[in-house]
């Protein structure tokens, strides 16, 4: 039987790369992108795949249990890759409620729909939950997060993702729902909403705007190119062990201030400015409340068991990313003005 795969959050940053990879690599499968197009969902990310005969877009809210159940039956869904979420830590500090609603209740609604729809036959079915390394909390200067690191979320965002991970495991334990979870480090690459560090700073450097560095810029993140994350999801979806968790990361830790200076160098070079000219834009601002010091992922289980490794060196990936944002200024202009939401009205309202 051909697979019918429901991908939630497919109009977002990572989701759009996952939808593209699955639509192209599995032409015999039906790929359903379910997204309610929040500020972070942009169908223009998927222009190149929207005409594929195996691709379907449905505007729906994952919290709408009845609609999710109907969609599962309509498309005879055999697998779910769940990425839809509220994803920005700063927003979670300002408005934690929407994070609990989307990330916890939304995941619960999908789990319950999958359990009900697959109740008579779970064979060959899979609920794949995409999560973050932030559920493990914050590291000091040594050590890595492994799959057995106890959960210790510290922001409303990571608390809501941890809550969703717990529900996924509870459904596996209680109802034998076939699930798999992955926890990935910070992603970077094309089509990321310019509220996150890398696209925000590339855009600000280009326009000579201040670069707001939280605290002293000493925090450390472990960066992975988004297409490598999408490839890892593909590998885990097809070969991961049911009930297991896989950490995904590139062993690529950067202190924020070092990363920012590297981005400045690349942008200045590509724009023909003197080296380091934009360093004057660095502006130290009040630290993020409860700012996690360091994330670092040990992804050796994924490498040893399923053979996945990152394909890009960071310097190469970062240069590719900077070039993409510099070459796609209209994308940034539309997304920052909210104009991209008109695209949905033109494309999908009849
Ligand atoms: P994003 O914010 O770019 O995209 C989220 C998508 O979900 C958007 O298209 C949005 O419209 C959709 N969405 C939000 N609420 C919805 C709802 N109620 N119903 C249907 N759709 C809804 O997020 P992202 O950065 O692409 O992250 C995707 C997933 O990966 C998230 O679950 C996130 O926790 C996880 N993750 C992200 C990173 C990262 O660095 N960005 C790292 C590890 C894990
Ligand atoms: P971000 O991209 O928001 O990802 P996360 O908080 O999920 O890791 O931020 C990455 C790092 O950059 C984090 O340590 C916070 C910092 N940061 C700034 O210093 N200034 C900014 O304007 C932003 C958005 C982030």
């Amino acid at each position: 039987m051909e697979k019918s795969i429901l991908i939630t959050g497919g109009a977002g940053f990572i989701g759009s790369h996952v939808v593209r990879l699955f639509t192209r690599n599995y032409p015999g499968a039906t790929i359903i992108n379910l997204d309610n197009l929040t500020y972070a969902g942009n169908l223009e990310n998927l222009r190149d795949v929207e005409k594929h005969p195996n691709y379907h877009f449905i505007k729906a809210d994952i919290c709408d249990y009845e609609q999710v159940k109907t969609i599962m039956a309509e498309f005879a869904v055999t697998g779910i890759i769940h990425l839809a979420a509220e994803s920005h830590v700063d927003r979670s500090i300002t408005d934690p409620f929407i994070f609990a609603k989307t990330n916890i209740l939304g995941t619960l609604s999908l789990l319950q729909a999958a359990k009900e729809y697959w109740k008579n036959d779970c064979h060959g079915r899979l609920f794949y939950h995409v999560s973050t390394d932030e559920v493990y909390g914050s590291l000091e200067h040594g050590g890595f997060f492994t799959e057995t690191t106890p959960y210790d979320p510290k922001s409303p965002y990571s608390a809501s993702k941890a809550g969703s991970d717990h529900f996924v495991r509870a459904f596996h334990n209680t109802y034998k729902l076939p699930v798999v979870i992955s926890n990935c480090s910070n992603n970077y690459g094309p089509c990321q909403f310019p509220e996150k560090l890398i696209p925000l700073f590339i855009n600000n450097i280009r326009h000579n705007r201040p670069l707001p560095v939280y605290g002293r810029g000493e925090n450390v993140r472990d960066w992975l190119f988004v297409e490598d994350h999408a490839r890892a999801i593909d590998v885990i979806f097809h070969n991961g062990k049911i009930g297991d968790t896989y950490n995904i990361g590139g062993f690529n830790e950067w202190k924020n201030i070092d990363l920012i200076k590297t981005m400045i160098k690349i942008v200045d070079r590509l724009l023909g400015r003197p080296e380091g000219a934009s360093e004057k834009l660095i502006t130290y601002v009040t630290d993020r409340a409860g700012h996690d010091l360091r994330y670092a992922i040990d992804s050796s289980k994924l490498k040893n068991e399923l053979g996945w490794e990152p394909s890009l060196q960071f310097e190469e990936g970062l240069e590719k990313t900077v070039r993409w944002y510099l070459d796609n200024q209209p994308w940034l202009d539309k997304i920052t003005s909210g104009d991209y939401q008109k695209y949905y009205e033109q494309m999908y309202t009849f």
Side-chain angles (χ1 to χ4, degrees), residues 40-343:
N42 180 1
L43 286 174
E44 290 201 31
N45 297 347
L46 290 166
R47 258 182 205 271
D48 56 327
V49 296
E50 68 193 4
K51 298 279 187 294
H52 277 240
N54 64 333
Y55 171 75
H56 304 265
F57 171 71
I58 298 192
K59 186 174 188 300
D61 186 338
I62 54 167
C63 298
D64 186 341
Y65 169 65
E66 292 302 331
Q67 194 179 359
V68 171
K69 251 190 356 186
T70 306
I71 293 165
M72 287 197 70
E74 188 185 334
F75 287 93
V77 167
T78 57
I80 297 176
I81 305 178
H82 173 37
L83 297 110
E86 289 293 334
S87 67
H88 189 41
V89 174
D90 292 328
R91 285 180 189 255
S92 82
I93 294 170
T94 312
D95 179 12
F97 283 105
I98 184 69
F99 281 72
K101 180 166 184 274
T102 300
N103 298 358
I104 302 179
L105 292 179
T107 301
L108 180 55
S109 149
L110 285 168
L111 285 164
Q112 181 74 0
K115 168 172 94 67
E116 288 302 303
Y117 180 60
W118 293 335
K119 68 180 161 204
N120 295 324
D121 182 13
C122 268
H123 183 71
R125 310 288 182 255
L126 184 63
F127 187 105
Y128 182 154
H129 179 59
V130 176
S131 192
T132 165
D133 61 354
E134 302 190 26
V135 297
Y136 298 122
S138 177
L139 291 164
E140 291 300 318
H141 293 289
F144 291 91
F145 297 133
T146 72
E147 287 81 0
T148 55
T149 301
Y151 275 31
D152 187 18
K154 294 188 182 297
S155 74
Y157 164 64
S158 54
S160 68
K161 290 298 289 187
S164 65
D165 293 11
H166 290 320
F167 266 108
V168 174
R169 291 201 180 90
F171 267 63
H172 178 61
N173 181 64
T174 310
Y175 308 111
K176 308 295 170 231
L177 190 75
V179 306
V180 72
I181 300 180
S182 59
N183 296 82
C184 189
S185 62
N186 287 59
N187 283 213
Y188 70 98
C191 299
Q192 186 168 31
F193 194 86
E195 62 186 353
K196 306 273 170 64
L197 180 74
I198 289 183
L200 177 73
F201 277 37
I202 295 170
N203 200 30
N204 283 11
I205 299 166
R206 175 182 211 151
H207 295 288
N208 285 307
R209 293 188 199 125
L211 306 174
V213 180
Y214 298 161
R216 300 301 309 157
E218 298 287 320
N219 304 67
V220 174
R221 297 293 183 263
D222 179 356
W223 294 94
L224 182 70
F225 191 60
V226 63
E227 289 177 12
D228 278 330
H229 187 189
R231 276 196 313 107
I233 289 173
D234 185 12
V235 168
I236 295 167
F237 182 76
H238 288 99
N239 302 314
K241 194 165 150 240
I242 287 178
D244 258 22
T245 291
Y246 296 88
N247 279 353
I248 311 174
F251 290 106
N252 178 43
E253 291 180 53
W254 283 75
K255 202 183 268 187
N256 288 344
I257 193 65
D258 296 337
L259 168 60
I260 290 161
K261 287 185 177 165
T262 306
M263 275 196 282
I264 288 173
K265 270 204 185 78
I266 301 175
V267 179
D268 279 348
R269 173 165 50 77
L270 294 178
L271 292 179
R273 294 178 186 167
E275 185 174 330
S278 303
E279 285 204 12
K280 62 177 185 301
L281 300 173
I282 292 176
T283 309
Y284 292 97
V285 299
T286 308
D287 207 355
R288 173 187 278 172
H291 197 170
D292 288 342
L293 178 65
R294 173 173 167 255
Y295 306 141
I297 272 274
D298 178 349
S299 56
S300 41
K301 171 177 172 180
L302 182 57
K303 179 177 179 199
N304 296 338
E305 291 188 11
L306 303 182
W308 174 91
E309 276 185 281
S311 67
L312 272 191
Q313 291 298 315
F314 188 56
E315 286 73 7
E316 192 187 345
L318 193 58
E319 169 124 6
K320 198 170 159 173
T321 301
V322 170
R323 280 184 191 277
W324 190 87
Y325 287 98
L326 294 182
D327 290 347
N328 287 276
Q329 188 63 43
W331 182 92
L332 276 164
D333 292 343
K334 274 192 200 152
I335 206 163
T336 42
S337 71
D339 266 4
Y340 64 98
Q341 285 177 343
K342 290 188 191 139
Y343 182 71

